[in-house]
């Protein structure tokens, strides 16, 4: 009765004139949950009769609900995919075939859906003919889609592999193969080759070639095909760093494949690995000669760093990798082709290797080359601070001259943090005041907070009050700036409500229209402070209602009610 009552209520909702998608989803979800419950109960009591009357009628109802919903909201892909998932879960192959057919007629502009349908035909229905037909239809709509070609290529190779396995099994059973008509061309992946050749005429780029090659490598009968793809790569993409990167890294794999089987000592393994890496580097050296670009050097350096970071017990191999990496960094730098981002990694490596003089030299050269880059100056200054050099101040001055005022906040924060630990209080204070003038108004907000915090730590309460008053003369401010001052006041033994009111009023002038918590904290202060005046809470509440904008008023009312009832 409960099931009937719930189903009837859901049914009424989807019979209304104004239909809602949520009603259909809720009804479908309820029916699916019911199916799951029946399945569990059947398993528990071991009852397997009357499936036609119970499950099949519910399944039929869910399919019809999905059909109505997808018919009404055709553009909702998620709805279609939910129907697909349901069909797969309950093994409704015939129904799923219809769903895919209708969905692809409406959403023919989405390659992922074509791939999903073709995969299902190939892997679940074991129909390579239907999958091929779907891929060919998809390519009519998307003739230049790399992903479609890749998956079609994979499907043809899977089909060839399946036929090879079938033939092998039949040969084992000594059956007559005459009636099966296995074509040697298909068995050797000739269909995949046709797909690949067709694709290369329409899709240019190394990424596609490498993706196809990685798919071909998964099958052990595609040596000729792999060879053709490699030849294409080498002949058509000699100017592309990705091609050279692949060819160089391939030497690592080839080395492993060429190694004779049998036991080898650790020393032999290390020696073999060193030789393979040397061969890779020889290809990279040829590459940077043929394609002298930043991208090419980046590929070379990335490879060297990857090899250096690999764990090895051989100190000799580790040292060789380090020397090679530093040498490549240096060569790229001499050619003026080292990207800005890699200078930081080079400096880090030099510092780890205790080559501090070289690190200083590199940092200086980097800032000469990228004199407008704030990150580069920041990195150089961090190196100088880490090595405790004397010319830090001079370098900071130089950096501020070169870098535009916008975006210099990290430089100033680094400078004042260093000054706090190194210089006198007077010098640090002068630096804070200078930073407020030098940074943009938006960035000066952070400096004000830092200045306030530092003054309290080193100058005490009276000094921080004076600084706070002077800083309040120039906008903008942050909420944390005021909250910090309120917190400082609360930490005093003789915490005066008069001062707290002043700070709250200043904060509310800036943030009263956008922050409900500030008003509530002010009210709490008046209620809980020994010198507070609870009679002020009414006027504060009235002001809050006037100043707060939009939905914040409701938010404030609900929080204020909780406060009154003692739940906040």
């Amino acid at each position: 009765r409960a099931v009937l009552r719930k189903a009837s209520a859901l049914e009424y909702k989807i019979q209304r004139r104004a239909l809602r998608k949520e009603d259909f989803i809720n009804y479908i979800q309820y029916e699916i949950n019911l199916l799951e419950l029946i399945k569990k109960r059947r398993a528990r009591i071991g009852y397997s009769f009357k499936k036609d009357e119970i499950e099949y009628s519910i399944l039929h109802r869910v399919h019809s609900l999905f059909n109505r919903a997808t018919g009404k909201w055709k553009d909702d892909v998620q709805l279609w995919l939910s129907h697909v998932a349901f069909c797969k879960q309950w093994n409704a192959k015939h129904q799923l075939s219809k769903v895919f057919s209708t969905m692809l007629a409406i959403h023919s502009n989405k390659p992922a859906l074509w791939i999903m349908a073709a995969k299902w035909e190939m892997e679940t229905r074991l129909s390579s003919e239907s999958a091929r037909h779907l891929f060919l239809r998809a390519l009519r709509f998307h003739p230049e889609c790399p992903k479609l070609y890749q998956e079609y290529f994979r499907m043809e190779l899977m089909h060839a592999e399946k036929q090879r396995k079938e033939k092998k099994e039949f040969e084992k059973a000594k059956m007559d193969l005459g009636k099966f008509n296995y074509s040697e061309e298909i068995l050797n992946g000739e269909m995949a080759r046709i797909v690949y050749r067709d694709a290369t005429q329409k899709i240019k780029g190394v990424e596609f070639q490498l993706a196809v090659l990685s798919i071909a490598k998964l099958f052990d009968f595609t040596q000729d095909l792999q060879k053709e793809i490699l030849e294409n790569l080498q002949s058509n993409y000699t100017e592309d760093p990705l091609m050279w990167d692949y060819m160089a890294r391939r030497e690592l794999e080839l080395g492993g494949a060429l190694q004779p089987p049998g036991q080898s000592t650790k020393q032999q393994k290390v020696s073999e690995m060193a030789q393979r890496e040397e061969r890779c580097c020889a290809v990279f050296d040829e590459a940077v000669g043929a394609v002298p670009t930043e991208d090419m050097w980046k590929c070379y350096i990335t490879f060297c760093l990857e090899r250096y970071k690999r764990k090895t017990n051989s100190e000799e191999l580790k040292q060789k990798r380090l020397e090679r990496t530093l040498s490549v960094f240096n060569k790229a730098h001499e050619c003026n082709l080292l990207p800005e981002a890699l200078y930081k990694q080079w400096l880090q490596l030099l510092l780890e290797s205790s080559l501090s003089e070289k690190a200083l030299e590199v940092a200086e050269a980097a800032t000469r080359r990228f004199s407008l880059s704030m990150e580069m100056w920041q990195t150089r200054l961090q190196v100088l601070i880490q090595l405790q050099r004397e010319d830090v101040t001079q370098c900071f001055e130089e950096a501020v001259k070169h870098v535009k005022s916008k975006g210099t906040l990290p430089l100033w924060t680094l400078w004042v943090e260093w000054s706090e630990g190194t210089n006198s209080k007077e010098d640090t204070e002068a630096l804070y005041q200078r930073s407020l003038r030098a940074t943009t108004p938006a960035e000066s907000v952070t400096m004000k907070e830092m200045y306030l915090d530092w003054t309290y730590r080193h100058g005490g309460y009276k000094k921080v009050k004076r600084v706070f008053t002077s800083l309040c003369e120039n906008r903008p401010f942050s909420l944390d700036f005021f909250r910090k001052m309120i917190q400082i006041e609360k930490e005093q033994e003789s915490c005066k409500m008069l001062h707290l009111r002043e700070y709250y009023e200043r904060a509310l002038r800036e943030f009263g229209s956008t922050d409900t918590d500030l008003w509530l904290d002010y009210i709490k202060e008046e209620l809980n402070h020994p010198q507070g005046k609870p009679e002020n809470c009414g006027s504060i509440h009235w002001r809050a209602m006037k100043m707060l904008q939009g939905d914040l008023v409701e938010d404030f009312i609900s929080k204020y009610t909780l406060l009154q009832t003692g739940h906040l």
Side-chain angles (χ1 to χ4, degrees), residues 314-332:
S314 167
E315 283 301 317
E316 182 194 344
L317 184 59
K318 194 165 189 180
Q319 189 58 33
K320 196 178 276 187
R321 284 172 176 172
L322 174 63
E323 285 168 11
R324 183 191 300 127
T325 308
L326 292 173
S327 162
V328 172
F329 267 121
N330 207 41
K331 284 177 190 170

Side-chain angles (χ1 to χ4, degrees), residues 62-74:
V62 173
H63 285 308
S64 66
L65 283 169
F66 266 123
N67 289 337
R68 272 188 70 189
T70 50
K72 173 83 175 158
W73 295 281
K74 292 183 174 71

